[in-house]
Amino acid sequence: MNDAKVTLWGWKGFLPTSTTQLSPSSLLIHLTSDPSVMARCHQCGADCPDIHDTSLRRVRDCDLFECRVWLEVPVRRVRCGDCGVSREKLDWLVLHSRITERLRSHLEVLLQLMPLKHVAGLTGLHWHTLKQIDKARLSRTLLPPDLSSLRYLVMDEFALFKGHRYATVVINAENRQVLWVGEGRSRKDIRPFFTWLGKHCKRIRAVAMDMNTAMDLEVQKHCLNASVVYDLFHVVAKFGREVIDRVRVDQANKLREDKPARNIIKRSRWLLLRNRENLSDHQDVRLKELLAANQPLLIVCLMKEQLKSLWYAPTEKVAQQRWVQWYQQALDSALEPLIRFAKRLKPYINGIISSASHHLNTSVLEGMNNRIKVIKRMAYGYRDNEYFFLKIKAAFPGLPR
Ligand SMILES: [Zn+2]
């Protein structure tokens, strides 16, 4: 009979005695100790018949029908032969917790299904309590990455709060698992990653990253066998901002007298910056018409495609040839933004040519940047970087091999 009660309610060692309706939608259930179940010591788990004292604790359990449920639990302290005065051990209620283990498991599921703010609204629990529950789950369930066959890395940085502070993220380029996230982006800030990587540093063959960061010097210092590769995603995004967009604005300004033509160019930003393969047939026709009518825009769009081909070169030698050609064409174009960009790219070219030897797929970066923004929105306001970083790691657990 007792076992049946235990199974039904789940409050092992206790029996319900009475209820108090706290409000139309909340119920308080009073519990009493079950005389047939012996109290155990919290520290050593031994049975303890000797009770020192009892105090009432009010904790939250799962909802019952439409009611929020609180329990009033007479928690005891026992006199343990080995430990002295000690708290009673309860499997369904962790020491000092204000919610039952059953409710905690339920909340863990909800927190994986919807934003924390929604769970707070649904349950009436404080966001801080929920954040701690989610954080504890992530710390418990995230497995340490397998470093034994790690060869290729991608390093990137992202803004933490409105561009004032940054964080650095490191990914295994082959399975897309986030290996490490840390605050800051200076050499000193990212050094702990290499310390953590330890003996595995020497196996790293290439590291992809954005140009002009503190990362390459730090990589060269710790990973003696690694090439630095500048990734396509960042360079092409930069080309879009500094060349295509600049030329588009210049061209629109030149057409001041021709309002309709000017408007077409002004509204073409998205069309021009989008990857061509992602355009619909209709958009593709619009782009073709736009480029046919505007020589400078056509040139910079073609130059973007040719720039990309550097990363897809079969060998470093071919990449080198393509670069020489590209650079000369840029200088001959008479388009100021393009010439400026080419000159600024030149000192970094070895890091682009070396991509021919290490075909690193860094397309993960684009998706990751967007995903981090979404996580940031959902975790915004909590100002807890540790939690934010755990969420990022959980979102990129790595593809199965
Ligand atoms: Zn004990």
Side-chain angles (χ1 to χ4, degrees):
M1 183 61 198
N2 254 341
D3 279 354
K5 283 178 197 161
V6 167
T7 315
L8 180 61
W9 298 106
W11 309 311
K12 193 180 172 198
F14 295 85
L15 300 168
T17 53
S18 58
T19 58
T20 307
Q21 193 85 35
L22 296 174
S23 77
S25 62
S26 59
L27 187 70
L28 179 65
I29 303 177
H30 303 267
L31 302 184
T32 186
S33 302
D34 182 341
S36 68
V37 178
M38 179 89 77
R40 286 174 300 150
C41 167
H42 179 262
Q43 292 175 58
C44 68
D47 285 346
C48 296
D50 199 0
I51 304 301
H52 179 73
D53 60 11
T54 302
S55 57
L56 288 177
R57 260 173 79 192
R58 195 175 279 201
V59 299
R60 181 91 181 262
D61 205 342
C62 287
D63 292 358
L64 188 64
F65 308 116
E66 284 95 44
C67 271
R68 288 188 177 157
V69 173
W70 272 266
L71 308 174
E72 194 154 73
V73 195
V75 181
R76 297 165 290 188
R77 284 196 298 173
V78 296
R79 281 199 202 93
C80 171
D82 291 327
C83 313
V85 175
S86 163
R87 294 265 172 198
E88 171 180 16
K89 182 178 173 67
L90 300 174
D91 298 328
W92 57 274
L93 182 62
V94 172
L95 195 67
H96 306 307
S97 175
R98 304 178 74 112
I99 59 169
T100 63
E101 282 300 282
R102 170 169 51 198
L103 177 56
R104 193 186 50 76
S105 313
H106 178 60
L107 293 169
E108 282 188 354
V109 175
L110 290 183
L111 286 163
Q112 290 173 74
L113 296 173
M114 58 179 101
L116 199 149
K117 215 170 91 181
H118 296 189
V119 182
L122 193 70
T123 60
L125 286 162
H126 195 270
W127 63 262
H128 187 262
T129 308
L130 295 167
K131 189 193 78 180
Q132 292 307 111
I133 291 170
D134 202 27
K135 200 168 156 181
R137 177 189 65 83
L138 290 164
S139 305
R140 196 180 70 232
T141 54
L142 275 175
L143 298 172
D146 173 19
L147 303 177
S148 64
S149 56
L150 190 64
R151 297 182 302 164
Y152 294 105
L153 300 174
V154 180
M155 296 184 91
D156 199 13
E157 59 189 37
F158 59 90
L160 277 174
F161 300 109
K162 285 279 163 208
H164 289 300
R165 284 164 55 220
Y166 287 84
T168 301
V169 57
V170 187
I171 318 163
N172 177 345
E174 290 182 288
N175 72 359
R176 302 180 172 198
Q177 180 179 26
V178 168
L179 303 172
W180 188 87
V181 192
E183 277 176 53
R185 56 174 174 176
S186 71
R187 287 185 67 174
K188 190 170 132 282
D189 293 328
I190 57 180
R191 203 159 296 153
F193 165 71
F194 296 99
T195 309
W196 174 77
L197 198 58
K199 65 177 176 24
H200 301 286
C201 281
K202 64 175 186 295
R203 216 185 318 105
I204 303 302
R205 293 171 62 183
V207 185
M209 63 183 72
D210 191 4
M211 298 180 295
N212 211 359
T213 62
M215 294 167 192
D216 52 2
L217 293 173
E218 206 55 23
V219 166
Q220 284 162 29
K221 184 179 168 185
H222 296 279
C223 303
L224 300 176
N225 302 316
S227 306
V228 167
V229 177
Y230 298 116
D231 72 273
L232 175 115
F233 165 69
H234 280 106
V235 179
V236 170
K238 213 173 155 69
F239 188 89
R241 282 193 310 271
E242 295 180 5
V243 181
I244 297 185
D245 223 28
R246 195 63 247 165
V247 169
R248 181 184 62 87
V249 172
D250 290 348
Q251 292 303 307
N253 287 343
K254 271 189 193 158
L255 289 165
R256 217 165 262 132
E257 309 306 314
D258 184 354
K259 267 258 168 81
R262 181 169 184 240
N263 283 338
I264 289 173
I265 293 183
K266 275 184 87 173
R267 291 199 205 107
S268 64
R269 183 168 192 271
W270 183 85
L271 204 57
L272 288 163
L273 296 185
R274 208 60 209 273
N275 272 331
R276 192 122 192 204
E277 55 273 21
N278 296 338
L279 296 179
S280 70
D281 290 347
H282 170 68
Q283 289 161 343
D284 201 44
V285 169
R286 265 182 60 202
L287 180 63
K288 275 189 189 128
E289 284 170 2
L290 177 72
L291 296 182
N294 195 295
Q295 186 82 12
L297 279 176
L298 175 66
I299 291 171
V300 291
C301 281
L302 291 174
M303 287 298 273
K304 181 176 97 170
E305 294 310 312
Q306 283 179 32
L307 181 64
K308 281 185 186 176
S309 78
L310 292 183
W311 277 267
Y312 299 116
T315 62
E316 292 201 15
K317 198 171 164 220
V318 175
Q320 176 70 39
Q321 288 163 352
R322 287 182 187 176
W323 161 251
V324 171
Q325 260 178 19
W326 190 90
Y327 188 69
Q328 197 52 51
Q329 280 172 352
L331 296 187
D332 294 345
S333 71
L335 294 166
E336 202 43 54
L338 180 57
I339 295 169
R340 212 164 38 225
F341 183 89
K343 285 183 176 166
R344 246 189 267 145
L345 190 61
K346 203 177 174 192
Y348 294 97
I349 198 61
N350 286 335
I352 295 177
I353 288 170
S354 63
S355 68
S357 302
H358 307 283
H359 283 283
L360 284 172
N361 183 354
T362 54
S363 62
V364 59
L365 278 175
E366 195 168 2
M368 196 174 70
N369 271 281
N370 292 328
R371 193 81 177 271
I372 286 176
K373 274 182 203 150
V374 172
I375 297 171
K376 187 154 74 176
R377 262 204 302 279
M378 277 170 69
Y380 190 75
Y382 308 127
R383 296 285 165 130
D384 181 343
N385 286 343
E386 205 184 324
Y387 177 53
F388 183 26
F389 295 169
L390 283 168
K391 294 291 263 185
I392 293 173
K393 285 183 187 168
F396 295 90
L399 306 172
R401 294 209 162 242

